[in-house]
Amino acid sequence: MANDIGRQLSQPSPILVADPAADVYRYHEDILTAVDRVLRSGRYILGKEVEAFECEWARYLGARYCVGVASGTDALALALKAVGVHAGDEVVTVSHTAVATVAAIEAIGARPVFVDIAPSSRCMDPSLLDAAISSCTRAIVPVHVYGQPADMESILAVARQHDLQVVEDCAQAHGAEIAGRKVGTFGIAAAFSFYPTKNLGAVGDAGAVVCNDGVVAAQVRSLRQYGWRERYVSDVVGTNSRLDELQAAILRVKLKDLDRRNQMRRTIAARYRKALASTGVVSPSDIPGTTHAMHLFVVESLARDGFAEFLLEAGVTTALHYPMPIHLQPAYVNRITGADRLPVTERLYKRLLTIPCHSDLTAEQVERICGRLRAWPEPLPSSKQPSRLSVQGIS
Ligand SMILES: Cc1ncc(COP(=O)(O)O)c(C=O)c1O
């Protein structure tokens, strides 16, 4: 017993996949100052802080407008509604995403339709869009999953051909870029989440819609507050989905450091890639012309569960993003169009494992993870390219 306790005390503390508390303590003083400013202001809803954050976030992205809302899920639902998606319309998206993407589509009464992902990016495969589009399709929602930008050029080309709106799900991609341009500025609108573990995280729920179209921005502004045209007069049926002053003030503190923190994530990811190079584990693809936000570092292993165990033995926590694609989850199974043609999604999800890769990791923790990655004995597959692995269907 005494020995057990001694061993536990000598074990280094577990390394977490995300550490929002450490993130808050990094900016503790500045956050307290910001919170105090809000408390003293007496204005807690839609005041100066929200207005300032909206300007700063739009400027950071290179977009004209930002409208703060209560969550990323609401941001997506309100953006879709604002660009003219109605109940009964079809919205093409992916099953390999957070359930929120699909929940937002269904929240406005629209119908999700799934297309498969490209094995290298793990994002929407644009070559499959044509087959998924019907006369009921109104919009496409690509997800920049894990922080990897989707192939927006090809997606926008298909959308133009079919006269469809594109609303980007940027919940995992704060600061990600394609050819130097931030994601969130490619579609007619984009949805961001500031859930505490995101690259830019609040200390509660928060989200934003970003766009370059003044009419869409005005529509979201109205929808987030009961559809008001002016106070107490609703033009359309809206909801209550406001970003609050406290969250906006805290986001403003953290936004100042976002680029540096994203770069730290990418530096850690580069070390993991190197450590994994001679193992059987496949790192995320490095796709030319794109800058990954590295929200999550997600590897592929044919022995995924054993690999997770192996890491845990050294105190390295891992996670599954996601344990099950949406079309297989009980709430959605057998009822979403396109669910029967997702071979890449179905093959990949069983192999994917998220390894801690955030900017609160210490140098010692990164070293510890790299050492453990290098030591994994899984044999090298015939190719380390995720695309070849998947196309050849090794399982
Ligand atoms: C891809 C994706 N879309 C949407 C959301 C929804 O964001 P929120 O949790 O802020 O509602 C999330 C958050 O987990 C996400 O990862």
Side-chain angles (χ1 to χ4, degrees):
M1 182 71 171
N3 269 353
D4 273 0
I5 292 169
R7 206 170 311 129
Q8 277 170 24
L9 288 175
S10 67
Q11 292 279 330
S13 53
I15 303 175
L16 306 173
V17 170
D19 195 351
D23 209 47
V24 166
Y25 277 100
R26 183 184 289 265
Y27 307 107
H28 202 193
E29 284 305 313
D30 288 348
I31 286 177
L32 290 180
T33 305
V35 167
D36 189 55
R37 192 171 65 234
V38 173
L39 297 182
R40 287 170 194 277
S41 75
R43 178 81 187 252
Y44 306 127
I45 298 288
L46 298 187
K48 283 189 182 145
E49 299 291 338
V50 169
E51 213 173 285
F53 174 70
E54 288 175 342
C55 287
E56 287 161 10
W57 186 235
R59 194 179 320 127
Y60 173 83
L61 295 171
R64 278 222 181 94
Y65 305 99
C66 167
V67 184
V69 297
S71 70
T73 311
D74 281 1
L76 196 50
L78 297 187
L80 286 167
K81 210 166 169 178
V83 304
V85 177
H86 297 110
D89 289 342
E90 289 181 358
V91 176
V92 182
T93 191
V94 288
S95 180
H96 181 70
T97 180
V99 74
T101 309
V102 175
I105 294 168
E106 292 200 332
I108 61 163
R111 288 179 290 155
V113 173
F114 288 142
V115 286
D116 212 350
I117 51 174
S120 54
S121 67
R122 293 113 171 226
C123 297
M124 175 178 280
D125 182 342
S127 71
L128 303 173
L129 279 171
D130 266 329
I133 290 166
S134 77
S135 57
C136 299
T137 310
R138 188 89 181 127
I140 301 173
V141 175
V143 182
H144 306 298
V145 78
Y146 310 144
Q148 169 62 56
D151 177 357
M152 290 308 297
E153 192 181 339
S154 307
I155 292 168
L156 288 167
V158 178
R160 266 191 301 274
Q161 244 177 345
H162 295 271
D163 196 20
L164 302 174
Q165 307 285 27
V166 175
V167 176
E168 295 169 73
D169 184 338
C170 298
Q172 302 186 4
H174 311 74
E177 294 177 353
I178 302 172
R181 182 171 154 193
K182 296 274 191 301
V183 301
T185 61
F186 289 88
I188 183 155
F192 283 87
S193 162
F194 305 112
Y195 183 80
T197 58
K198 302 299 189 200
N199 289 31
L200 180 62
V203 298
D205 277 314
V209 176
V210 168
C211 62
N212 284 323
D213 183 321
V215 176
V216 171
Q219 189 68 3
V220 177
R221 241 174 251 290
S222 163
L223 289 170
R224 78 172 166 185
Q225 186 156 242
Y226 319 119
W228 281 354
R229 168 171 37 94
E230 59 191 65
R231 202 165 175 78
Y232 306 132
V233 183
S234 295
D235 257 358
V236 291
V237 176
T239 186
N240 175 354
S241 181
R242 299 173 292 217
L243 174 62
D244 75 65
E245 286 285 286
L246 280 172
Q247 300 303 341
I250 292 166
L251 287 168
R252 292 182 68 200
V253 170
K254 294 171 88 180
L255 173 55
K256 293 193 182 93
D257 211 13
L258 176 62
D259 279 340
R260 191 180 69 86
R261 304 291 300 280
N262 277 352
Q263 190 49 50
M264 286 168 76
R265 288 173 182 264
R266 286 189 285 269
T267 303
I268 296 169
R271 294 201 52 198
Y272 291 172
R273 284 181 200 287
K274 218 167 153 192
L276 288 168
S278 55
T279 73
V281 174
V282 180
S283 291
S285 302
D286 199 357
I287 298 180
T290 68
T291 306
H292 203 302
M294 215 37 89
H295 172 56
L296 298 171
F297 186 84
V298 181
V299 300
E300 286 176 54
S301 167
L302 297 178
R304 191 263 309 272
D305 295 346
F307 184 43
E309 261 313 298
F310 180 77
L311 291 172
L312 191 60
E313 280 164 16
V316 181
T317 312
T318 57
L320 302 182
H321 294 95
Y322 294 90
M324 202 183 272
I326 292 167
H327 68 283
L328 299 180
Q329 298 182 19
Y332 300 95
V333 73
N334 292 332
R335 68 175 189 82
I336 309 283
T337 306
D340 55 342
R341 42 180 195 227
L342 306 173
V344 179
T345 298
E346 293 199 353
R347 204 157 49 226
L348 270 190
Y349 88 89
K350 296 178 194 145
R351 298 179 185 167
L352 296 178
L353 187 70
T354 303
I355 293 171
C357 182
H358 53 83
S359 49
D360 292 299
L361 293 174
T362 64
E364 180 277 321
Q365 287 176 321
V366 173
E367 195 48 55
R368 181 142 60 99
I369 294 172
C370 285
R372 198 64 178 168
L373 296 179
R374 274 191 295 269
W376 172 240
E378 184 180 342
L380 211 61
S382 56
S383 163
K384 294 267 307 189
Q385 295 301 312
S387 50
R388 292 226 11 227
L389 258 180
S390 306
V391 167
Q392 288 168 356
I394 297 168
S395 57

